[in-house]
Amino acid sequence: MRGGPMRHVTIIREPVGRVISAWHYRCHNPNFDCYHVRSEFRTFRQYTLSRDGKGTALSEWVNITFDQYLRIPEYHNVQTRVFAANLAPYMLSENEMKNKKLLQESDFDRAISVLSRFAVVLVLESYSISLLMLSLNIGVDLDRDDFTHQRGDHSPIYSTAKDILSRDPYGTMILEANAWDLSLHSWASRRLCLDIRSKGLEAHPVVLKDTHICRSDLNQ
């Protein structure tokens, strides 16, 4: 991830939604761990064996609560860490493990430096504008139906959970623990809007429909 220009594409997500989504998905949850984050976390394979009566009984496992999950540093600032240190999700950097220090401003700057060389940086919450920018960069024409959300908010259960858990004290806890990812999301949103302006797309119907997303950047 070092060197000249990149032709890669990535998508950034706001921290509250990402943290809550990860909790609801197996593999991204310490009770169904596919990334071997910590030896004491139950892996997804261990869970399936237990469920099928071939391993330790499920009742004997100690499940990590959502509150505990929010305090585990491996699950903080995942996006910043991935781009700053070229790590798999939920892995701590060598500096974090060796010096017991969490991500610092230099790590954030490194993540921005890497992302700056990506061909396109999209933003999940700016779905339509991101899709427009991606289509232009890869040369694919889109129809109106392509901009229709197939699954707007995962499920009613997820939507309800996000509404509840994004409130205090959880909302504040998530944002404080993922401050670098919050800044990364702000940077990505601004870059997307500036890319729209650089391509002269301010009057495009898709952009006008979501004009509130880029209002401050497009009016400069």
Side-chain angles (χ1 to χ4, degrees):
M1 297 180 71
R2 301 290 183 266
M6 298 180 181
R7 302 309 303 166
H8 302 324
V9 174
T10 192
I11 187 164
I12 302 298
R13 187 173 187 180
E14 61 87 15
V16 174
R18 191 206 62 75
V19 168
I20 295 173
S21 178
W23 172 256
H24 284 277
Y25 276 83
R26 293 175 181 179
C27 287
H28 300 268
N29 177 315
N31 297 313
F32 308 95
D33 178 25
C34 289
Y35 292 90
H36 303 283
V37 177
R38 292 186 184 179
S39 59
E40 63 265 31
F41 291 170
R42 182 180 64 197
T43 66
F44 184 62
R45 174 173 171 76
Q46 288 171 326
Y47 165 77
T48 56
L49 289 173
S50 297
R51 181 197 59 193
D52 297 338
K54 299 178 181 179
T56 304
L58 286 175
S59 60
E60 295 183 24
W61 287 101
V62 177
N63 282 318
I64 292 174
T65 66
F66 183 76
D67 185 81
Q68 292 171 322
Y69 159 75
L70 292 182
R71 302 173 192 275
I72 299 173
E74 286 92 333
Y75 294 101
H76 298 165
N77 297 301
V78 173
Q79 298 171 108
T80 301
R81 187 179 290 112
V82 164
F83 293 108
N86 195 19
L87 293 171
Y90 316 123
M91 298 293 104
L92 295 180
S93 68
E94 182 178 347
N95 180 58
E96 289 176 290
M97 292 187 293
K98 182 179 179 180
N99 301 317
K100 305 297 182 182
K101 292 182 178 180
L102 299 180
L103 291 178
Q104 300 175 323
E105 187 171 0
S106 58
D107 298 303
F108 175 76
D109 291 342
R110 192 176 304 112
I112 295 299
S113 176
V114 170
L115 281 172
S116 295
R117 301 202 303 276
F118 271 52
V120 187
V121 177
L122 310 177
V123 178
L124 183 64
E125 293 70 33
S126 303
Y127 173 84
S128 295
I129 293 178
S130 291
L131 188 59
L132 172 64
M133 182 58 62
L134 179 62
S135 70
L136 292 173
N137 276 272
I138 62 178
V140 174
D141 294 329
L142 298 177
D143 296 323
R144 178 179 297 179
D145 290 344
D146 292 320
F147 291 92
T148 301
H149 288 241
Q150 296 298 315
R151 189 178 67 174
D153 210 2
H154 297 267
S155 68
I157 294 176
Y158 173 85
S159 181
T160 300
K162 182 176 179 181
D163 179 58
I164 294 172
L165 297 177
S166 62
R167 303 172 189 168
D168 286 335
Y170 289 122
T172 298
M173 189 184 304
I174 293 172
L175 291 176
E176 288 180 349
N178 294 275
W180 291 121
D181 270 9
L182 183 64
S183 296
L184 194 74
H185 182 265
S186 296
W187 178 89
S189 297
R190 176 170 170 76
R191 168 171 166 172
L192 177 62
C193 293
L194 293 178
D195 285 348
I196 288 291
R197 186 171 68 178
S198 71
K199 290 184 177 294
L201 296 171
E202 296 94 328
H204 192 285
V206 170
V207 178
L208 291 177
K209 184 178 179 181
D210 291 330
T211 187
H212 64 284
I213 295 173
C214 293
R215 183 179 294 116
S216 61
D217 291 310
L218 296 182
N219 289 336
Q220 290 181 1

